[in-house]
Amino acid sequence: MSTFLGLPGLRRSTGTGSTATGAGAGTGTAGGAVADEPFGPVPHPQEPLRWGDAFPAAAKQTLANDQLRRNLGHATQVIRTKRAAVVDEVPDWEALRDAGSGVKEQVMAHLPELLEQLEKNVTARGGVVHWARDAAEANRIVADIAKAKGADEVVKVKSMATQEIGLNEALAEEGIAAVETDLAELIVQLADDMPSHILVPAIHRNRTEIRDIFLARMGDAPPDLSDVPRELAMAARAHLRRKFLSAKVAVSGANFAVADTGTLAVVESEGNGRMCLTLPETLVTVMGIEKLVPTFDDLEVFLQLLPRSSTGERMNPYTSMWTGVTPGDGPAEFHLVLLDNGRTDVLADEVGRSALHCIRCSACLNVCPVYERVGGHAYGSVYPGPIGAILTPQLTASSGGVSGHGDPNASLPYASTLCGACYEVCPVKIDIPSILVDLRAREVDADRSRSGIDPWAAAMKAASWVMADGDRFALAGRAATLGRGLGGRDHAISVAPPPASAWTRSRDLPAPPAQTFREWWRDEHTDPAAGPAATPKEQR
């Protein structure tokens, strides 16, 4: 099924669970024939920030996809290696991180004033500023602008904000096709899929799958198209060039907005952004209100931090900046849509507000052991990985950052090992592990008022009772050594009886040692002449 412009029809989710058919399930033919089944494992959701099952159930499904894990493992390893190499070249990298964090803290402390300053300067330079409280309002503003220009198609620069509000789907309902011009986003769109990475949305695909998608869904793809990367890129380039030259309206996001000049900036690596920002007659930018920097000089810090953290490059291949409109140069009309959509609530949170410091570099995804194994779709949001685990629950929760026990997003703060790797690579030093712990505590506190028996709460009370007394804790340690017999030759327990089976269903449990620590201490510190040494308990 396709739209009137040949783009794939949107497959809506009909429930909380996925209706996945698996990556590459479609069986297309050359010449643009549309596949009988959608390629995408995730249907387009009604809520881009909340779809499908809760993380534990969704992760169990994605862990079973061996091809997905191979694709993710290879891609994230390559990006990690590139990033490490270019970061090591910068002698003042930690000072740059401190500077970036400081600028973001300043923005959060003075956001209302800076937003007013930005509006004043954009308007003074011929732009029009719109304020959108939520996704519905932002989508309505963009749709009205496109319809006023008589456009039935718009070209887009990759934008997380427009994914967050479901702009493409909203425009489709108004009879307007939104064409993604970033190569990875185009792959995701043609596959009727959802992005699984902030920077590389199609990271879960390999080149053979991409070739099949192009042959089935891109009407002007060469019938003899191979899976050679250059051929795939050239096919996409030819397809998109016709879109650029015919589009009346373009929609972009913004990496940064400078309050004291009214300048907007987009950084990208393919040149598609430059085409969208210069060729169409009308440009509409949808920007989260947190993307501000106070002065033009502040861009210097972020234009060093962002490319190294995201793609492992020393500088962005294309950095486009524009300030209002200039007669005879670029779009004749510019609209800026300032999007709240829950950000004001996050700003009011003293602990969680630093999630708004994020510059969408995706460095935290590339080092996260959880993300590398389950992929972005398991998070059920357009914001996956560690940053998604703290940002999504806050954007969708009521004031106070508590999602509620029945909300799938309530499980996202638990999608972490708390290893701290995300904090170590974050270019603006967002303390993601601390925020994860805080969000977990809020959900636990909120659950205390629930009626009925909670097995997890009962288990925690039992553990507290055991650990409150040294003798009870020592007895529990000796009892645990009985499980040693369940371990195999690799000293790991793969199958265990309840309640330990909840752990071994998805991971191995290290077999307990033959001795407890207390027993080891006693044996190691016993002097036959002087008598037994004090145990750790007696030393306390």
Side-chain angles (χ1 to χ4, degrees):
M1 178 180 181
S2 63
T3 67
F4 57 95
L5 289 168
L7 292 175
L10 299 178
R11 180 172 44 112
R12 289 288 191 179
S13 176
T14 56
T16 58
S18 172
T19 56
T21 56
T27 54
T29 58
V34 178
D36 294 331
E37 296 292 337
F39 283 90
V42 179
H44 285 274
Q46 297 290 347
E47 294 184 79
L49 289 175
R50 186 191 287 109
W51 80 67
D53 298 322
F55 181 84
K60 186 176 181 180
Q61 295 176 12
T62 56
L63 278 169
N65 189 332
D66 293 338
Q67 182 64 58
L68 171 69
R69 295 179 66 178
R70 284 193 293 269
N71 295 350
L72 286 170
H74 172 71
T76 54
Q77 191 275 330
V78 169
I79 297 173
R80 284 197 304 269
T81 302
K82 289 180 62 179
R83 177 200 169 276
V86 296
V87 165
D88 286 345
E89 298 173 351
V90 184
D92 60 345
W93 180 253
E94 289 305 311
L96 277 171
R97 292 180 71 204
D98 288 334
S101 178
V103 172
K104 283 297 185 178
E105 288 180 1
Q106 180 186 358
V107 169
M108 296 304 112
H110 303 283
L111 188 58
E113 306 97 279
L114 290 172
L115 285 170
E116 290 179 359
Q117 185 181 13
L118 176 69
E119 179 185 32
K120 176 182 176 182
N121 287 317
V122 169
T123 303
R125 288 160 176 80
V128 180
V129 177
H130 309 262
W131 298 80
R133 287 166 293 189
D134 54 27
E137 197 163 304
N139 289 334
R140 171 50 52 197
I141 292 168
V142 178
D144 286 347
I145 293 170
K147 288 193 289 187
K149 299 301 173 183
D152 60 5
E153 181 177 87
V154 301
V155 290
K156 287 185 62 196
V157 186
K158 182 169 66 174
S159 162
M160 296 300 295
T162 59
Q163 291 172 359
E164 174 189 327
I165 62 177
L167 177 64
N168 290 11
E169 293 78 15
L171 290 178
E173 292 174 356
E174 299 284 346
I176 302 168
V179 180
E180 297 289 354
T181 64
D182 173 85
L183 178 56
E185 287 287 355
L186 177 64
I187 293 166
V188 170
Q189 183 180 42
L190 290 175
D192 198 16
D193 198 354
M194 291 296 289
S196 63
H197 191 278
I198 289 176
L199 186 72
V200 195
I203 196 172
H204 56 295
R205 300 288 189 181
N206 61 37
R207 63 188 191 182
T208 301
E209 291 174 316
I210 294 169
R211 188 266 322 271
D212 292 343
I213 291 167
F214 280 9
L215 288 174
R217 296 298 186 85
M218 187 188 291
D220 49 5
D224 59 346
L225 183 66
S226 76
D227 63 359
V228 174
R230 175 175 173 78
E231 288 192 29
L232 295 172
M234 294 302 292
R237 180 184 182 186
H239 172 77
L240 291 172
R241 185 57 59 92
R242 287 184 280 274
K243 302 293 185 182
F244 289 133
L245 295 175
S246 63
K248 297 179 180 178
V249 177
V251 177
S252 84
N255 291 97
F256 308 103
V258 182
D260 71 347
T261 64
T263 301
L264 281 294
V266 163
V267 298
E268 39 99 12
S269 59
E270 298 173 15
N272 62 299
R274 185 68 56 83
M275 303 285 278
C276 288
L277 297 168
T278 56
L279 290 177
E281 299 172 359
T282 301
L283 172 62
V284 184
T285 297
V286 181
M287 185 191 84
I289 57 175
E290 81 280 13
K291 292 297 187 70
L292 281 173
V293 296
T295 70
F296 202 87
D297 289 342
D298 295 320
L299 281 177
E300 177 188 357
V301 174
F302 295 104
L303 292 181
Q304 294 181 73
L305 289 171
L306 182 56
R308 285 179 166 85
S309 299
S310 57
T311 56
E313 295 172 298
R314 296 178 182 88
M315 64 182 294
N316 294 291
Y318 293 90
T319 299
S320 300
M321 301 183 189
W322 66 100
T323 307
V325 295
T326 302
D329 182 13
E333 193 171 320
F334 170 57
H335 297 262
L336 174 61
V337 181
L338 295 173
L339 176 69
D340 186 330
N341 205 38
R343 287 163 174 78
T344 298
D345 285 338
V346 181
L347 182 65
D349 190 313
E350 292 185 3
V351 176
R353 71 170 59 135
S354 61
L356 296 178
H357 294 187
C358 178
I359 59 174
R360 307 293 191 266
C361 70
S362 76
C364 62
L365 281 71
N366 300 326
V367 299
C368 178
V370 176
Y371 174 86
E372 183 179 354
R373 285 158 179 79
V374 303
H377 291 158
Y379 293 81
S381 167
V382 297
Y383 297 117
I387 187 61
I390 63 171
L391 183 59
T392 299
Q394 293 189 89
L395 288 176
T396 58
S398 57
S399 240
V402 179
S403 299
H405 186 74
D407 189 337
N409 287 344
S411 67
L412 288 178
Y414 295 90
S416 170
T417 64
L418 298 180
C419 67
C422 50
Y423 173 69
E424 294 300 323
V425 300
C426 178
V428 290
K429 290 192 169 182
I430 302 173
D431 191 353
I432 294 177
S434 294
I435 301 175
L436 288 168
V437 171
D438 184 72
L439 292 175
R440 292 181 185 187
R442 297 182 200 184
E443 295 294 343
V444 170
D445 289 340
D447 278 350
R448 295 186 196 280
S449 60
R450 289 197 303 144
S451 59
I453 298 175
D454 185 344
W456 181 254
M460 290 298 101
K461 287 182 180 179
S464 177
W465 179 79
V466 170
M467 294 179 183
D469 180 83
D471 290 332
R472 290 196 293 264
F473 191 60
L475 181 62
R478 287 196 295 273
T481 61
L482 298 176
R484 183 174 177 80
L486 297 174
R489 292 182 178 179
D490 58 354
H491 304 293
I493 301 173
S494 299
V495 179
S501 59
W503 178 277
T504 58
R505 274 197 298 266
S506 56
R507 59 184 72 81
D508 289 338
L509 180 67
Q515 281 185 311
T516 67
F517 173 76
R518 293 168 183 268
E519 291 170 341
W520 172 86
W521 180 277
R522 181 196 62 207
D523 293 345
E524 289 292 320
H525 296 80
T526 298
D527 185 346
T535 65
K537 177 183 177 183
E538 291 165 345
Q539 286 184 330
R540 293 197 300 271

